[in-house]
Amino acid sequence: MFKRIFSLAIVVSLFIACSKADDDDKPEEKITPKEVSFDTNQNSSLMFQDDEALEVMTSEARTYSIAQVIRIKPIDEKTFEVSNFAPFDIEDAVILATIEGTTQVQLFKIKKIRGHATQKMKYPFVDGTSLFLDNENKKVDLSKYKTTGISLDKITFDFTGENETILKLKKLKALKWTIKYHNYDPNNDPNNNWMPTTAKDIRRFSGLMLNMGIVFVSDKFKQAFLNEPIIGNDGKTELTLAEKEKVYNDILNHARFNCGKVDKVSGLGGGATLGYAEHILRDYISKDAGDITSHEIGHCVGFNHDSSMTYPKTINNVSTGISPVMSRINKEFFAGGLFIVNLQNYYKLSDFQ
C-alpha cells in the first residue's frame, strides 16, 4: 500500500513538474498596437471639401496645433475623434496616449489616414484589448477603464513613427502655432482687401503652413537668419544677435494664426491675422513665395515696413532681411526635396490647376 501511494506521489509530482515546464516554455503573448485605417469613405469622412459648410470649416472646433497635424480629440469618456489636418496621406503613425499625466501607452497604430480625413471611434481599451505597451515596451493593463472610460481631462495624445514623412512632421514640435481658418469677408465686400474663404483655399493653406513651418524650424533658416543684418522698426538700427534670437523664438512661439484669403494685395498680417492672395496659395507648392510669406510673418511678430523683417534693405549693395533669407532657404528646400508638402503627395492636385 505504501509503495502504491509513494508511486502515485511521484507520478503526480512529475505531472506537475512537466506541466510547469510546459507553461514556462510557452512564449509570452505578444502585445502589438491595434491597427486601424482611415483611407476610404467607409471608415472615414473628409474635412474641408467643397460641399462642406463654411461655418463648419472655420469653426473653433477645427483649430489644431501645427505640431499635432494628426489630432486626437476626446469626445466623451469612451469615444475620441482622429483627424488629419495635413493635405496628404500619412502612414504607419503610432498614437501615444498619456493617462493621468504619468502612464504613456501605444494606444493604436494608423496604417493609413488620407489627407484631411476624420473619424470617431471607441478607445481600444473600451472596445477591444486591455493590454498595451508603454514607451519602454512594458505591459500596461488598462482594464480598469473598460467600463468607465476615462475623463477628458485625464488623457493627452501624441504620435510617432519612423518613416520620412512622420520624422519631418515631428520637427514641427518646436512650433507653438495654433491654426484656425477664418473668413474675413462674410459679406463679399468688394471695397476691402479680403475675399470669402473657400474649401480650396483652406486645403492649400494647410500645406502652405506646413511648408513654412518646416523652413522656420530648420537649422539652415535659423543660422542664415541669425547671420543676416536685420534692421529694426526705426528703419536704421541693426538688431543685435540676442535681439535676433528673440525674434526667431517669437516666430516659433507665435501662439495663433487665423488664416484667410486676401484680395488686391499679396498678403496681410499682424498679430493672429494672416492672409495670402490667390497667387501665393496657388504657387507656393512649386515656386518660391518666401518674400511674401515671410513679410507677413514679420508683421505678425510686431515689425513694420521700416524694418527689414518685412521689406528688404540694401546694405553694401546686397539685399538683406528676412525675405531674402526665406527665399534663399526655400530654393534650397525645393532643390533638395525637403518640403513636407509637394505635388507628389498633395491629395487633390486640381487645387493647383
Side-chain angles (χ1 to χ4, degrees):
M1 180 70 176
F2 174 77
K3 286 182 180 180
R4 276 186 293 182
I5 294 174
F6 181 72
S7 299
L8 183 60
I10 291 174
V11 171
V12 171
S13 298
L14 287 171
F15 176 78
I16 293 172
C18 290
S19 298
K20 186 175 186 306
D22 289 343
D23 290 341
D24 291 341
D25 290 340
K26 287 181 181 178
E28 187 174 353
E29 180 184 359
K30 187 177 180 181
I31 300 172
T32 57
K34 177 182 178 180
E35 281 195 2
V36 296
S37 289
F38 308 103
D39 55 351
T40 69
N41 289 335
Q42 285 67 51
N43 58 34
S44 57
S45 58
L46 295 180
M47 305 178 290
F48 308 129
Q49 302 307 294
D50 296 335
D51 59 352
E52 189 171 35
L54 182 59
E55 56 267 28
V56 173
M57 295 188 287
T58 58
S59 67
E60 199 67 27
R62 287 281 177 88
T63 60
Y64 65 99
S65 165
I66 196 170
Q68 297 289 335
V69 293
I70 300 178
R71 187 191 74 177
I72 310 296
K73 180 180 178 181
I75 302 299
D76 55 39
E77 286 79 2
K78 296 184 178 182
T79 310
F80 65 94
E81 178 185 80
V82 55
S83 303
N84 177 13
F85 284 87
F88 53 78
D89 300 346
I90 299 175
E91 298 182 352
D92 297 328
V94 177
I95 302 303
L96 307 174
T98 300
I99 298 172
E100 299 190 16
T102 56
T103 303
Q104 187 180 71
V105 299
Q106 300 172 35
L107 191 62
F108 63 95
K109 181 179 181 179
I110 299 175
K111 190 63 180 172
K112 182 177 180 180
I113 182 169
R114 50 188 180 153
H116 291 158
T118 185
Q119 179 67 331
K120 294 180 176 66
M121 61 183 288
K122 296 287 187 183
Y123 285 118
F125 50 76
V126 169
D127 188 23
T129 182
S130 297
L131 295 178
F132 298 83
L133 295 177
D134 66 11
N135 50 8
E136 296 179 349
N137 287 322
K138 295 179 180 178
K139 283 192 297 186
V140 178
D141 188 344
L142 299 182
S143 57
K144 66 179 180 179
Y145 300 110
K146 185 173 182 64
T147 302
T148 63
I150 188 164
S151 299
L152 278 64
D153 60 347
K154 291 185 178 180
I155 188 166
T156 58
F157 304 93
D158 198 357
F159 69 93
T160 188
E162 298 180 356
N163 61 53
E164 182 180 357
T165 297
I166 291 178
L167 293 177
K168 284 181 179 179
L169 291 173
K170 293 306 293 180
K171 291 180 181 179
L172 300 177
K173 191 173 183 179
L175 297 172
K176 308 306 178 188
W177 303 353
T178 293
I179 295 172
K180 176 184 178 293
Y181 301 108
H182 196 79
N183 183 25
Y184 289 102
D185 190 17
N187 299 316
N188 198 10
D189 184 353
N191 297 312
N192 64 27
N193 287 335
W194 295 96
M195 293 181 67
T197 302
T198 68
K200 179 179 177 179
D201 299 327
I202 291 172
R203 292 192 297 266
R204 295 181 298 181
F205 227 127
S206 70
L208 173 58
M209 296 304 285
L210 287 170
N211 279 0
M212 271 206 302
I214 201 66
V215 171
F216 282 133
V217 302
S218 70
D219 289 336
K220 285 178 178 288
F221 178 86
K222 180 179 180 180
Q223 292 308 313
F225 178 77
L226 295 180
N227 290 333
E228 187 80 356
I230 300 292
I231 304 302
N233 278 337
D234 65 0
K236 57 186 178 181
T237 305
E238 188 174 326
L239 300 186
T240 66
L241 177 60
E243 289 170 331
K244 287 188 287 187
E245 288 175 338
K246 181 183 182 303
V247 172
Y248 177 71
N249 287 324
D250 286 346
I251 293 172
L252 299 191
N253 294 319
H254 197 72
R256 186 178 177 105
F257 290 106
N258 296 326
C259 303
K261 177 83 168 285
V262 304
D263 188 24
K264 302 173 186 171
V265 294
S266 293
L268 289 171
T273 300
L274 183 63
Y276 294 113
E278 168 65 21
H279 71 95
I280 302 298
L281 295 176
R282 183 193 64 227
D283 293 344
Y284 78 88
I285 202 166
S286 57
K287 62 179 73 171
D288 170 43
D291 56 339
I292 304 300
T293 56
S294 60
H295 177 112
E296 303 309 334
I297 296 297
H299 283 315
C300 288
V301 294
F303 288 90
N304 62 29
H305 282 166
D306 292 327
S307 167
S308 63
M309 281 296 294
T310 53
Y311 288 118
K313 300 286 185 185
T314 300
I315 300 176
N316 297 326
N317 296 317
V318 177
S319 179
T320 66
I322 191 173
S323 290
V325 170
M326 192 73 166
S327 289
R328 291 199 304 269
I329 304 304
N330 271 0
K331 289 169 184 174
E332 289 187 34
F333 270 58
F334 276 119
L338 301 177
F339 282 117
I340 293 180
V341 186
N342 54 59
L343 288 172
Q344 286 68 50
N345 67 6
Y346 190 92
Y347 77 111
K348 199 180 268 294
L349 287 179
S350 59
D351 285 349
F352 297 100
Q353 295 171 354

